[in-house]
Short mmCIF file of all heavy atoms in Angstrom, two decimals:
data_model
loop_
_atom_site.label_atom_id
_atom_site.label_comp_id
_atom_site.label_asym_id
_atom_site.label_seq_id
_atom_site.Cartn_x
_atom_site.Cartn_y
_atom_site.Cartn_z
N LEU U 409 159.18 152.23 -103.67
CA LEU U 409 158.48 152.12 -104.94
C LEU U 409 158.14 150.67 -105.27
O LEU U 409 157.08 150.39 -105.82
CB LEU U 409 159.32 152.73 -106.07
CG LEU U 409 159.58 154.24 -105.95
CD1 LEU U 409 160.46 154.72 -107.10
CD2 LEU U 409 158.28 155.02 -105.92
N ARG U 410 159.03 149.75 -104.92
CA ARG U 410 158.74 148.34 -105.17
C ARG U 410 157.58 147.84 -104.32
O ARG U 410 156.89 146.89 -104.69
CB ARG U 410 159.99 147.49 -104.91
CG ARG U 410 161.04 147.56 -106.00
CD ARG U 410 162.02 146.42 -105.88
NE ARG U 410 162.79 146.48 -104.65
CZ ARG U 410 163.98 147.08 -104.54
NH1 ARG U 410 164.53 147.65 -105.60
NH2 ARG U 410 164.61 147.11 -103.38
N ALA U 411 157.37 148.49 -103.18
CA ALA U 411 156.28 148.07 -102.29
C ALA U 411 154.96 148.76 -102.60
O ALA U 411 153.99 148.61 -101.85
CB ALA U 411 156.69 148.36 -100.84
N ALA U 412 154.89 149.49 -103.70
CA ALA U 412 153.68 150.26 -104.03
C ALA U 412 152.42 149.41 -104.07
O ALA U 412 151.38 149.83 -103.52
CB ALA U 412 153.88 151.00 -105.35
N PRO U 413 152.39 148.23 -104.71
CA PRO U 413 151.15 147.44 -104.73
C PRO U 413 150.66 147.09 -103.32
O PRO U 413 149.45 147.10 -103.06
CB PRO U 413 151.55 146.18 -105.51
CG PRO U 413 152.68 146.63 -106.38
CD PRO U 413 153.44 147.62 -105.55
N ALA U 414 151.60 146.79 -102.41
CA ALA U 414 151.19 146.47 -101.03
C ALA U 414 150.61 147.70 -100.34
O ALA U 414 149.61 147.61 -99.63
CB ALA U 414 152.39 145.94 -100.25
N TRP U 415 151.22 148.88 -100.56
CA TRP U 415 150.68 150.12 -100.01
C TRP U 415 149.26 150.35 -100.51
O TRP U 415 148.38 150.77 -99.75
CB TRP U 415 151.56 151.30 -100.42
CG TRP U 415 152.77 151.50 -99.58
CD1 TRP U 415 154.03 151.02 -99.81
CD2 TRP U 415 152.86 152.24 -98.36
NE1 TRP U 415 154.89 151.41 -98.82
CE2 TRP U 415 154.20 152.18 -97.92
CE3 TRP U 415 151.94 152.97 -97.60
CZ2 TRP U 415 154.64 152.79 -96.75
CZ3 TRP U 415 152.38 153.60 -96.44
CH2 TRP U 415 153.71 153.50 -96.02
N GLU U 416 149.02 150.08 -101.78
CA GLU U 416 147.68 150.30 -102.35
C GLU U 416 146.66 149.37 -101.73
O GLU U 416 145.55 149.79 -101.38
CB GLU U 416 147.72 150.11 -103.87
CG GLU U 416 148.56 151.13 -104.61
CD GLU U 416 148.02 152.54 -104.47
OE1 GLU U 416 146.88 152.80 -104.86
OE2 GLU U 416 148.77 153.40 -103.94
N ARG U 417 147.01 148.11 -101.57
CA ARG U 417 146.07 147.15 -100.99
C ARG U 417 145.72 147.52 -99.55
O ARG U 417 144.55 147.52 -99.15
CB ARG U 417 146.66 145.74 -101.05
CG ARG U 417 146.71 145.12 -102.43
CD ARG U 417 147.00 143.64 -102.35
NE ARG U 417 148.29 143.37 -101.71
CZ ARG U 417 149.44 143.28 -102.36
NH1 ARG U 417 149.46 143.46 -103.68
NH2 ARG U 417 150.56 143.01 -101.72
N ILE U 418 146.75 147.84 -98.77
CA ILE U 418 146.51 148.18 -97.36
C ILE U 418 145.74 149.50 -97.25
O ILE U 418 144.80 149.63 -96.46
CB ILE U 418 147.86 148.27 -96.61
CG1 ILE U 418 148.52 146.89 -96.57
CG2 ILE U 418 147.66 148.82 -95.20
CD1 ILE U 418 149.96 146.91 -96.07
N GLY U 419 146.14 150.49 -98.05
CA GLY U 419 145.50 151.79 -97.98
C GLY U 419 144.03 151.75 -98.37
O GLY U 419 143.19 152.37 -97.70
N ARG U 420 143.71 151.03 -99.44
CA ARG U 420 142.31 150.98 -99.88
C ARG U 420 141.44 150.30 -98.84
O ARG U 420 140.25 150.63 -98.70
CB ARG U 420 142.19 150.24 -101.21
CG ARG U 420 142.76 151.01 -102.40
CD ARG U 420 142.47 150.31 -103.71
NE ARG U 420 141.06 150.32 -104.01
CZ ARG U 420 140.37 149.24 -104.38
NH1 ARG U 420 140.95 148.06 -104.46
NH2 ARG U 420 139.08 149.34 -104.65
N ARG U 421 142.01 149.36 -98.11
CA ARG U 421 141.21 148.63 -97.14
C ARG U 421 141.09 149.35 -95.80
O ARG U 421 140.02 149.41 -95.20
CB ARG U 421 141.81 147.24 -96.91
CG ARG U 421 141.02 146.42 -95.91
CD ARG U 421 141.39 144.97 -95.95
NE ARG U 421 140.54 144.19 -95.04
CZ ARG U 421 140.60 142.87 -94.93
NH1 ARG U 421 141.44 142.18 -95.69
NH2 ARG U 421 139.80 142.24 -94.09
N TRP U 422 142.21 149.95 -95.33
CA TRP U 422 142.23 150.47 -93.98
C TRP U 422 142.31 151.99 -93.88
O TRP U 422 141.90 152.56 -92.87
CB TRP U 422 143.42 149.85 -93.21
CG TRP U 422 143.34 148.37 -93.11
CD1 TRP U 422 144.12 147.46 -93.77
CD2 TRP U 422 142.44 147.60 -92.30
NE1 TRP U 422 143.76 146.18 -93.44
CE2 TRP U 422 142.73 146.23 -92.53
CE3 TRP U 422 141.41 147.94 -91.41
CZ2 TRP U 422 142.03 145.21 -91.90
CZ3 TRP U 422 140.72 146.91 -90.77
CH2 TRP U 422 141.03 145.57 -91.03
N PHE U 423 142.87 152.65 -94.89
CA PHE U 423 143.08 154.10 -94.78
C PHE U 423 142.60 154.85 -96.02
O PHE U 423 143.34 155.64 -96.61
CB PHE U 423 144.57 154.40 -94.54
CG PHE U 423 145.18 153.63 -93.41
CD1 PHE U 423 146.01 152.55 -93.66
CD2 PHE U 423 144.90 153.97 -92.10
CE1 PHE U 423 146.58 151.83 -92.62
CE2 PHE U 423 145.46 153.26 -91.04
CZ PHE U 423 146.30 152.18 -91.30
N PRO U 424 141.37 154.63 -96.47
CA PRO U 424 140.92 155.27 -97.72
C PRO U 424 140.89 156.80 -97.66
O PRO U 424 140.99 157.47 -98.69
CB PRO U 424 139.51 154.70 -97.91
CG PRO U 424 139.08 154.27 -96.54
CD PRO U 424 140.32 153.80 -95.85
N THR U 425 140.78 157.35 -96.46
CA THR U 425 140.70 158.82 -96.31
C THR U 425 142.00 159.50 -96.74
O THR U 425 141.99 160.66 -97.15
CB THR U 425 140.39 159.18 -94.85
OG1 THR U 425 139.19 158.54 -94.46
CG2 THR U 425 140.21 160.69 -94.69
N PHE U 426 143.14 158.78 -96.65
CA PHE U 426 144.44 159.41 -96.85
C PHE U 426 145.07 159.09 -98.21
O PHE U 426 146.28 159.18 -98.37
CB PHE U 426 145.37 159.01 -95.72
CG PHE U 426 144.84 159.36 -94.36
CD1 PHE U 426 144.35 158.39 -93.52
CD2 PHE U 426 144.80 160.69 -93.95
CE1 PHE U 426 143.82 158.72 -92.27
CE2 PHE U 426 144.29 161.03 -92.71
CZ PHE U 426 143.79 160.05 -91.86
N ALA U 427 144.26 158.75 -99.18
CA ALA U 427 144.76 158.50 -100.53
C ALA U 427 145.35 159.76 -101.13
O ALA U 427 144.97 160.88 -100.76
CB ALA U 427 143.64 157.98 -101.42
N GLY U 428 146.26 159.60 -102.09
CA GLY U 428 146.82 160.76 -102.77
C GLY U 428 145.87 161.41 -103.74
O GLY U 428 145.85 162.63 -103.88
N VAL U 429 145.06 160.59 -104.42
CA VAL U 429 144.09 161.13 -105.37
C VAL U 429 142.74 160.47 -105.15
O VAL U 429 142.64 159.32 -104.69
CB VAL U 429 144.52 160.92 -106.85
CG1 VAL U 429 145.81 161.65 -107.14
CG2 VAL U 429 144.63 159.45 -107.20
N LEU U 430 141.70 161.21 -105.49
CA LEU U 430 140.31 160.74 -105.42
C LEU U 430 139.77 160.58 -106.84
O LEU U 430 140.13 161.34 -107.73
CB LEU U 430 139.44 161.72 -104.65
CG LEU U 430 139.89 162.05 -103.22
CD1 LEU U 430 139.02 163.16 -102.65
CD2 LEU U 430 139.85 160.81 -102.33
N LEU U 431 138.91 159.60 -107.02
CA LEU U 431 138.23 159.40 -108.29
C LEU U 431 136.73 159.41 -108.03
O LEU U 431 136.24 158.65 -107.17
CB LEU U 431 138.62 158.07 -108.94
CG LEU U 431 140.08 157.90 -109.37
CD1 LEU U 431 140.92 157.34 -108.22
CD2 LEU U 431 140.18 156.96 -110.58
N VAL U 432 136.02 160.27 -108.72
CA VAL U 432 134.56 160.35 -108.59
C VAL U 432 133.94 160.21 -109.97
O VAL U 432 134.28 160.97 -110.89
CB VAL U 432 134.11 161.67 -107.93
CG1 VAL U 432 132.59 161.72 -107.85
CG2 VAL U 432 134.71 161.80 -106.55
N GLU U 433 133.05 159.25 -110.12
CA GLU U 433 132.33 159.03 -111.38
C GLU U 433 130.92 159.59 -111.25
O GLU U 433 130.27 159.45 -110.21
CB GLU U 433 132.26 157.55 -111.69
CG GLU U 433 131.58 157.24 -113.02
CD GLU U 433 131.26 155.77 -113.18
OE1 GLU U 433 131.21 155.05 -112.17
OE2 GLU U 433 131.06 155.35 -114.33
N ALA U 434 130.46 160.25 -112.31
CA ALA U 434 129.11 160.82 -112.29
C ALA U 434 128.47 160.63 -113.65
O ALA U 434 129.15 160.55 -114.68
CB ALA U 434 129.15 162.30 -111.93
N THR U 435 127.15 160.55 -113.64
CA THR U 435 126.39 160.42 -114.87
C THR U 435 125.65 161.71 -115.16
O THR U 435 125.32 162.47 -114.24
CB THR U 435 125.41 159.24 -114.78
OG1 THR U 435 124.77 159.05 -116.05
CG2 THR U 435 124.33 159.49 -113.74
N LYS U 436 125.40 161.95 -116.40
CA LYS U 436 124.73 163.17 -116.84
C LYS U 436 123.24 163.10 -116.51
O LYS U 436 122.57 162.14 -116.84
CB LYS U 436 124.93 163.32 -118.35
CG LYS U 436 124.22 164.47 -119.00
CD LYS U 436 124.56 164.52 -120.48
CE LYS U 436 123.86 165.65 -121.20
NZ LYS U 436 124.27 165.76 -122.61
N GLN U 437 122.74 164.12 -115.84
CA GLN U 437 121.31 164.21 -115.55
C GLN U 437 120.58 164.79 -116.75
O GLN U 437 121.01 165.79 -117.31
CB GLN U 437 121.05 165.11 -114.34
CG GLN U 437 121.55 164.58 -113.03
CD GLN U 437 121.29 165.55 -111.90
OE1 GLN U 437 120.70 166.61 -112.10
NE2 GLN U 437 121.71 165.20 -110.71
N ILE U 438 119.51 164.14 -117.12
CA ILE U 438 118.64 164.68 -118.17
C ILE U 438 117.23 164.70 -117.63
O ILE U 438 116.67 163.66 -117.30
CB ILE U 438 118.71 163.83 -119.46
CG1 ILE U 438 120.13 163.82 -120.01
CG2 ILE U 438 117.73 164.38 -120.51
CD1 ILE U 438 120.30 163.00 -121.27
N TYR U 439 116.70 165.88 -117.50
CA TYR U 439 115.36 166.03 -116.94
C TYR U 439 114.32 166.06 -118.06
O TYR U 439 114.57 166.60 -119.14
CB TYR U 439 115.25 167.33 -116.14
CG TYR U 439 116.16 167.36 -114.94
CD1 TYR U 439 117.35 168.07 -114.97
CD2 TYR U 439 115.83 166.66 -113.79
CE1 TYR U 439 118.19 168.10 -113.88
CE2 TYR U 439 116.66 166.69 -112.68
CZ TYR U 439 117.84 167.40 -112.73
OH TYR U 439 118.67 167.42 -111.65
N ALA U 440 113.17 165.47 -117.77
CA ALA U 440 112.08 165.53 -118.73
C ALA U 440 111.58 166.96 -118.86
O ALA U 440 111.51 167.71 -117.88
CB ALA U 440 110.94 164.62 -118.28
N LYS U 441 111.28 167.34 -120.08
CA LYS U 441 110.76 168.68 -120.31
C LYS U 441 109.36 168.79 -119.73
O LYS U 441 108.50 167.97 -119.99
CB LYS U 441 110.72 168.96 -121.81
CG LYS U 441 110.29 170.38 -122.14
CD LYS U 441 110.31 170.61 -123.64
CE LYS U 441 109.86 172.02 -123.98
NZ LYS U 441 109.86 172.26 -125.44
N PRO U 442 109.11 169.80 -118.90
CA PRO U 442 107.78 169.92 -118.31
C PRO U 442 106.72 170.16 -119.39
O PRO U 442 106.97 170.84 -120.37
CB PRO U 442 107.91 171.14 -117.39
CG PRO U 442 109.08 171.91 -117.91
CD PRO U 442 110.01 170.89 -118.50
N ALA U 443 105.57 169.56 -119.16
CA ALA U 443 104.48 169.72 -120.12
C ALA U 443 104.02 171.17 -120.17
O ALA U 443 103.94 171.84 -119.14
CB ALA U 443 103.32 168.80 -119.74
N ALA U 444 103.76 171.63 -121.35
CA ALA U 444 103.30 173.01 -121.50
C ALA U 444 101.91 173.16 -120.88
O ALA U 444 101.05 172.30 -121.05
CB ALA U 444 103.28 173.38 -122.97
N THR U 445 101.73 174.21 -120.13
CA THR U 445 100.42 174.44 -119.53
C THR U 445 99.47 175.00 -120.58
O THR U 445 99.81 175.91 -121.32
CB THR U 445 100.55 175.46 -118.38
OG1 THR U 445 101.14 176.65 -118.88
CG2 THR U 445 101.42 174.89 -117.26
N ARG U 446 98.33 174.38 -120.65
CA ARG U 446 97.34 174.79 -121.65
C ARG U 446 96.34 175.74 -121.03
O ARG U 446 95.90 175.56 -119.89
CB ARG U 446 96.61 173.57 -122.20
CG ARG U 446 97.51 172.63 -122.98
CD ARG U 446 96.69 171.49 -123.54
NE ARG U 446 97.49 170.59 -124.33
CZ ARG U 446 97.00 169.51 -124.94
NH1 ARG U 446 95.70 169.21 -124.83
NH2 ARG U 446 97.80 168.72 -125.64
N ALA U 447 96.01 176.73 -121.78
CA ALA U 447 94.97 177.66 -121.32
C ALA U 447 93.64 176.92 -121.33
O ALA U 447 93.37 176.11 -122.22
CB ALA U 447 94.91 178.86 -122.26
N PRO U 448 92.83 177.13 -120.30
CA PRO U 448 91.53 176.43 -120.26
C PRO U 448 90.69 176.78 -121.49
O PRO U 448 90.62 177.92 -121.93
CB PRO U 448 90.89 176.96 -118.97
CG PRO U 448 91.63 178.22 -118.66
CD PRO U 448 93.01 178.05 -119.18
N ARG U 449 90.13 175.73 -122.05
CA ARG U 449 89.33 175.92 -123.26
C ARG U 449 87.99 176.56 -122.90
O ARG U 449 87.33 176.15 -121.97
CB ARG U 449 89.08 174.57 -123.92
CG ARG U 449 88.41 174.68 -125.27
CD ARG U 449 88.31 173.33 -125.91
NE ARG U 449 87.63 173.41 -127.17
CZ ARG U 449 87.40 172.37 -127.96
NH1 ARG U 449 87.81 171.16 -127.58
NH2 ARG U 449 86.77 172.51 -129.10
N ARG U 450 87.62 177.57 -123.66
CA ARG U 450 86.35 178.24 -123.41
C ARG U 450 85.19 177.38 -123.89
O ARG U 450 85.21 176.85 -124.99
CB ARG U 450 86.32 179.58 -124.15
CG ARG U 450 87.24 180.59 -123.49
CD ARG U 450 87.43 181.84 -124.30
NE ARG U 450 86.27 182.17 -125.13
CZ ARG U 450 86.24 183.26 -125.89
NH1 ARG U 450 87.26 184.08 -125.90
NH2 ARG U 450 85.20 183.53 -126.62
N ARG U 451 84.25 177.20 -123.02
CA ARG U 451 83.06 176.42 -123.38
C ARG U 451 82.01 177.36 -123.97
O ARG U 451 81.76 178.44 -123.45
CB ARG U 451 82.49 175.73 -122.14
CG ARG U 451 83.45 174.71 -121.54
CD ARG U 451 82.80 174.03 -120.37
NE ARG U 451 81.59 173.33 -120.75
CZ ARG U 451 80.76 172.75 -119.89
NH1 ARG U 451 81.01 172.81 -118.59
NH2 ARG U 451 79.69 172.12 -120.30
N LEU U 452 81.48 176.91 -125.05
CA LEU U 452 80.41 177.70 -125.70
C LEU U 452 79.08 177.39 -125.04
O LEU U 452 78.75 176.23 -124.79
CB LEU U 452 80.36 177.38 -127.19
CG LEU U 452 81.65 177.68 -127.96
CD1 LEU U 452 81.47 177.28 -129.42
CD2 LEU U 452 82.01 179.15 -127.85
N VAL U 453 78.36 178.42 -124.72
CA VAL U 453 77.03 178.25 -124.10
C VAL U 453 75.99 178.69 -125.10
O VAL U 453 76.04 179.80 -125.63
CB VAL U 453 76.92 179.09 -122.81
CG1 VAL U 453 75.52 178.93 -122.22
CG2 VAL U 453 77.99 178.67 -121.81
N TYR U 454 75.10 177.77 -125.37
CA TYR U 454 74.04 178.08 -126.35
C TYR U 454 72.78 178.50 -125.61
O TYR U 454 72.35 177.82 -124.66
CB TYR U 454 73.77 176.84 -127.23
CG TYR U 454 74.97 176.42 -128.04
CD1 TYR U 454 75.86 175.48 -127.57
CD2 TYR U 454 75.20 177.01 -129.29
CE1 TYR U 454 76.95 175.09 -128.31
CE2 TYR U 454 76.30 176.64 -130.04
CZ TYR U 454 77.18 175.68 -129.55
OH TYR U 454 78.26 175.32 -130.28
N THR U 455 72.20 179.57 -126.04
CA THR U 455 70.93 180.00 -125.46
C THR U 455 69.81 179.69 -126.45
O THR U 455 70.01 179.81 -127.66
CB THR U 455 70.93 181.51 -125.19
OG1 THR U 455 71.22 182.19 -126.39
CG2 THR U 455 72.00 181.84 -124.13
#
Side-chain angles (χ1 to χ4, degrees):
L409 296 178
R410 283 197 296 267
W415 278 93
E416 294 297 301
R417 287 193 300 270
I418 294 170
R420 289 187 67 229
R421 180 165 184 176
W422 299 107
F423 308 104
T425 304
F426 302 107
V429 298
L430 303 173
L431 295 88
V432 179
E433 182 192 21
T435 186
K436 175 178 179 175
Q437 292 178 1
I438 299 179
Y439 297 102
K441 184 178 180 181
T445 56
R446 295 183 178 180
R449 187 175 178 180
R450 288 170 30 178
R451 296 183 60 186
L452 300 179
V453 178
Y454 297 93
T455 56

